[in-house]
Amino acid sequence: MKRLQAFAEAISRGGAIVGGAMLLVAAITICVDIFLRYAFSLTVGGADDLSGYALAISSAWGFSAALLTRSHIRIDTVYVRVKNRAARAALDLLSVAAFALFAGLLVWHGWGVFQLSYASNSHSQSAIEMPLAIPQGIWFAGLAFFLGVALLLLGRALLACARRDLDELFRLIGSKSAAAEAREEVVAVERAMEAERRE
Amino acid sequence: MTAGVSLAVLLLILGSSIAVGAGIALVGLVLNQLYSPMPLTRMMGELAWSTTSNFILTAIPFYIMFGEILLRSGIAERMYNAMTQWLSWLPGGLMHSNVGSCALFGSVSGSSVATAATIGVVAMGEIERHQYNERLFLGTLAAGGTLGILIPPSINMIIYGVMTDTSIPKLYLAGFLPGFVLTVLFSLTVLIACLWKPAWGGRKIETSWAERWRTLPDLLPPLVLLLIVVGAIFFGLATATESAAVGILGALAITAWRRRLTFSMLREVCEGTVRTTAMVVAILVAAFFLNVVIQTIGLTQQLGKLIAAYQLSPVEVLSAVILLYLVLGTFMEELSMMISTIPITTPLILQAGYDPVWFGVLLVLLIQTAMISPPFGINLFVIHGIRARGMLADVEIGSAPFVIALLVMIALICFFPGIVMWLPQAVG
């Protein structure tokens, strides 16, 4: 199961990078679009559609990346005051179970959206007439992967619980304190600044 | 009754530290189960797709990416040094450069955390070198950082605009003057403190006119970006999303000019952008779902009736909402606080006859206050994290005078709404 998670982590990291690249490409496409609009009064169209798809797809694939890196925000005002480890573990399990439920709902009803576009062969209304099933299919795959990751984490955490290995459970799904979160932000900036100084 | 139960469910679920996105969805499910005549979950698929493929919302990942690139572009350090040359003659020295740099960086960044982190890292080494009062110095960074979301562009304003159907360009215009006034108020706070206790102001820094002119061009990159990103919106040349896209290109160009553009840097940017975006979008999708549930079960009308029954005047409603945010802001994470409460508070405020643009700016000021009020204030954590020693209480105490400045600012826009509304009305 550990290997399964490493595998999932690799995929979700890849998904995040590809999703980010899509956003970058979308931004550049928009710039080209604006340039053509003002320089040659040309409207190509479609750039706004594409960037919408980029957001939908990159966030669907990003949900799992955020879950695996424990980046989803939790209000931990109460959590940090709970000193009992078992109670904390219960809160962590509750949180990841809620995510699995949320993901399940998104997948269940997201399938309907994809299926409808596919069956009725709908196209986007803009100039590019993109068959909606394509972006929605990739989007749906991201949601399904998110559900898989949520269930995997829930499963591993429950197993750790059964083994009474709470440290493992906290490593998997524990709440990252806001202070730790802030620290990560700072480390990113510091690394960037150091690169600057080296030059 | 419904209102009471809803609030109780919301506080119970979010209080039990369930991740905010999943938690808000859960609140929606519970309320749907309890009060709605039909199962609204069926809408979730359509809602998730239409929300996330919305072109206006694409501005959010774009601004996040813009920030991630700026962070790695190396403009902050030079900008800070130039600010020092121009502002440090004031009593309080570098602390004014802190505020000024935050304001300038905030005018290209849409995030308060990014602003505080970037300027904080640059400035932190100066405390000991010039013997400043450490607490006040830390306070200027935590408080100055919050300017990131008031001075346009602003991720929070985009979220507010999309959730309440308010014009984002108008919100941006409305944020400018308050942003400027608040910057002055922050500087004034430093000035008063240092006139009262001159020892807090640290040692004087050598400046010269020659040096001032030499460093002036270092202020240019952020100014040019500001002009592109915000100017395009104001002159109606581009939408908020488009201008964010242009900003990304501009930031990439500056990064390339500084020879910092590499593949590994781009990979980091992409990964960081998607992680942060996904976290925000998870909360947004859930909040849109909760919004539908709240409307279907008639929660807002109920609250409206309640207010009518108690014959609350608009001013009383407004005071209640401000108080609610000041209380929530002490212990709730700011973004979650904003997104989960907008569906409830905004309709109330609009019913009471206030302008949605004006309330948007008020809301941002309240969020800023929350960011530096203990025990939970994200900017306090950021600055404490950079300092990496001492107690969090130092940052909290140092930020306290600026909380007062923010409260003064909030009172100012309540008594003189013109500070907010003048610019959007003048432009159109």
Side-chain angles (χ1 to χ4, degrees):
Chain A
M1 252 181 145
K2 208 169 184 174
R3 236 193 289 155
L4 197 59
Q5 180 162 351
F7 185 56
E9 268 164 20
I11 294 182
S12 95
R13 208 161 157 235
I17 294 172
V18 173
M22 280 179 69
L23 285 168
L24 191 60
V25 171
I28 294 170
T29 317
I30 290 177
C31 292
V32 172
D33 197 60
I34 298 172
F35 176 73
L36 290 178
R37 189 166 72 211
Y38 284 106
F40 305 105
S41 319
L42 262 177
T43 33
V44 184
D48 45 351
D49 270 7
L50 287 178
S51 62
Y53 303 151
L55 172 59
I57 291 168
S58 63
S59 47
W61 281 91
F63 289 157
S64 50
L67 191 60
L68 283 168
T69 53
R70 298 183 291 153
S71 308
H72 285 291
I73 296 174
R74 296 170 64 179
I75 311 287
D76 59 2
T77 315
V78 176
Y79 183 92
V80 293
R81 282 172 181 73
V82 176
K83 295 294 177 221
N84 184 318
R85 281 163 57 87
R88 272 196 185 197
L91 288 176
D92 289 333
L93 280 172
L94 200 63
S95 180
V96 80
F99 252 122
L101 178 69
F102 185 35
L105 278 169
L106 286 176
V107 167
W108 182 255
H109 297 285
W111 171 253
V113 174
F114 164 71
Q115 221 268 331
L116 189 70
S117 304
Y118 183 73
S120 60
N121 193 20
S122 352
H123 288 67
S124 70
Q125 283 163 353
S126 72
I128 50 169
E129 292 192 33
M130 166 84 92
L132 278 176
I134 296 176
Q136 283 176 350
I138 308 174
W139 168 74
F140 174 76
L143 293 180
F145 182 68
F146 172 44
L147 176 61
V149 167
L151 289 175
L152 176 69
L153 281 177
L154 182 61
R156 284 200 70 190
L158 282 173
L159 279 179
C161 207
R163 281 198 313 268
R164 312 213 172 274
D165 186 357
L166 290 187
D167 289 328
E168 167 80 357
L169 182 139
F170 292 136
R171 243 194 321 278
L172 286 168
I173 57 170
S175 177
K176 231 189 244 177
S177 72
E181 199 82 44
R183 183 71 212 150
E184 274 177 19
E185 184 82 18
V186 170
V187 167
V189 180
E190 279 171 345
R191 268 183 35 212
M193 302 273 172
E194 261 161 40
E196 165 89 341
R197 267 182 220 119
R198 270 202 302 273
E199 271 156 35
Chain B
M1 183 59 200
T2 321
V5 174
S6 308
L7 198 66
V9 172
L10 184 75
L11 286 180
L12 185 76
I13 289 185
L14 292 186
S16 60
S17 85
I18 291 177
V20 177
I24 292 178
L26 211 55
V27 176
L29 282 180
V30 172
L31 294 185
N32 178 28
Q33 237 9 284
L34 287 178
Y35 299 111
S36 168
M38 55 199 160
L40 295 165
T41 43
R42 242 182 268 163
M43 305 190 45
M44 225 172 197
E46 192 48 48
L47 215 58
W49 172 257
S50 61
T51 310
T52 52
S53 62
N54 177 340
F55 179 63
I56 305 177
L57 280 182
T58 323
I60 296 174
F62 282 178
Y63 281 125
I64 293 173
M65 181 174 273
F66 184 44
E68 293 266 343
I69 299 173
L70 277 183
L71 195 99
R72 296 173 171 83
S73 68
I75 66 168
E77 248 170 347
R78 287 155 184 266
M79 185 186 89
Y80 186 82
N81 290 337
M83 274 289 180
T84 305
Q85 286 295 322
W86 286 91
L87 292 178
S88 63
W89 56 272
L90 289 158
L94 279 182
M95 292 191 265
H96 298 284
S97 326
N98 292 349
V99 174
S101 301
C102 282
L104 190 57
F105 195 81
S107 68
V108 285
S109 159
S111 145
S112 286
V113 171
T115 307
T118 311
I119 304 302
V121 167
V122 178
M124 199 59 76
E126 310 288 335
I127 301 181
E128 283 172 5
R129 203 178 310 159
H130 301 285
Q131 289 166 350
Y132 284 100
N133 175 291
E134 197 157 1
R135 287 173 170 170
L136 193 65
F137 195 92
L138 297 170
T140 56
L141 293 170
T146 68
L147 290 167
I149 59 169
L150 179 62
I151 305 178
S154 159
I155 292 172
N156 296 57
M157 283 185 185
I158 293 175
I159 293 175
Y160 173 83
V162 171
M163 288 186 78
T164 63
D165 247 329
T166 310
S167 146
I168 292 166
K170 277 204 173 139
L171 282 168
Y172 276 11
L173 278 169
F176 248 108
L177 203 53
F180 180 73
V181 175
L182 187 58
T183 309
V184 174
L185 276 181
F186 281 167
S187 253
L188 216 57
T189 310
V190 174
L191 202 66
I192 294 171
C194 292
L195 287 176
W196 180 46
K197 296 258 162 119
W200 289 0
R203 236 183 289 142
K204 206 159 169 45
I205 290 163
E206 289 305 314
T207 55
S208 68
W209 279 102
E211 194 61 8
R212 276 182 195 158
W213 293 120
R214 199 188 61 78
T215 53
L216 197 59
D218 290 335
L219 291 176
L220 274 183
L223 281 177
V224 170
L225 283 176
L226 167 71
L227 209 68
I228 299 174
V229 173
V230 181
I233 302 173
F234 288 171
F235 296 111
L237 295 175
T239 63
T241 312
E242 287 174 342
S243 84
V246 178
I248 289 182
L249 209 64
L252 280 178
I254 290 180
T255 316
W257 177 50
R258 293 251 193 266
R259 295 169 192 282
R260 303 280 307 275
L261 192 64
T262 58
F263 262 110
S264 69
M265 174 253 172
L266 279 180
R267 206 179 52 222
E268 275 174 36
V269 165
C270 286
E271 230 188 308
T273 306
V274 169
R275 250 207 324 265
T276 311
T277 305
M279 185 269 292
V280 178
V281 166
I283 301 176
L284 264 182
V285 168
F288 273 91
F289 171 64
L290 179 64
N291 207 357
V292 171
V293 175
I294 283 177
Q295 276 168 12
T296 315
I297 65 176
L299 186 64
T300 324
Q301 287 93 315
Q302 267 203 11
L303 280 176
K305 271 189 208 143
L306 203 66
I307 287 169
Y310 282 100
Q311 292 180 319
L312 289 182
S313 69
V315 175
E316 282 165 331
V317 174
L318 181 67
S319 316
V321 167
I322 292 179
L323 198 68
L324 172 81
Y325 278 112
L326 290 177
V327 174
L328 284 182
T330 55
F331 63 87
M332 246 183 117
E333 194 277 330
E334 289 73 24
L335 187 77
S336 329
M337 168 176 95
M338 176 181 137
I339 297 177
S340 58
T341 54
I342 281 180
I344 303 171
T345 52
T346 314
L348 289 181
I349 288 289
L350 300 193
Q351 267 174 22
Y354 292 100
D355 187 278
V357 173
W358 177 82
F359 181 62
V361 173
L362 175 67
L363 191 61
V364 168
L365 284 169
L366 286 164
I367 294 167
Q368 285 182 271
T369 314
M371 284 174 160
I372 55 170
S373 35
F376 193 109
I378 191 73
N379 274 23
L380 299 175
F381 297 141
V382 170
I383 297 304
H384 180 61
I386 298 174
R387 192 179 171 216
R389 62 188 171 83
M391 310 242 286
L392 181 63
D394 293 332
V395 192
E396 291 172 357
I397 295 167
S399 300
F402 302 99
V403 173
I404 297 172
L406 268 160
L407 294 178
V408 169
M409 188 68 215
I410 289 169
L412 272 179
I413 74 159
C414 287
F415 289 111
F416 307 101
I419 302 175
V420 178
M421 299 308 293
W422 175 71
L423 206 55
Q425 275 164 359
V427 175

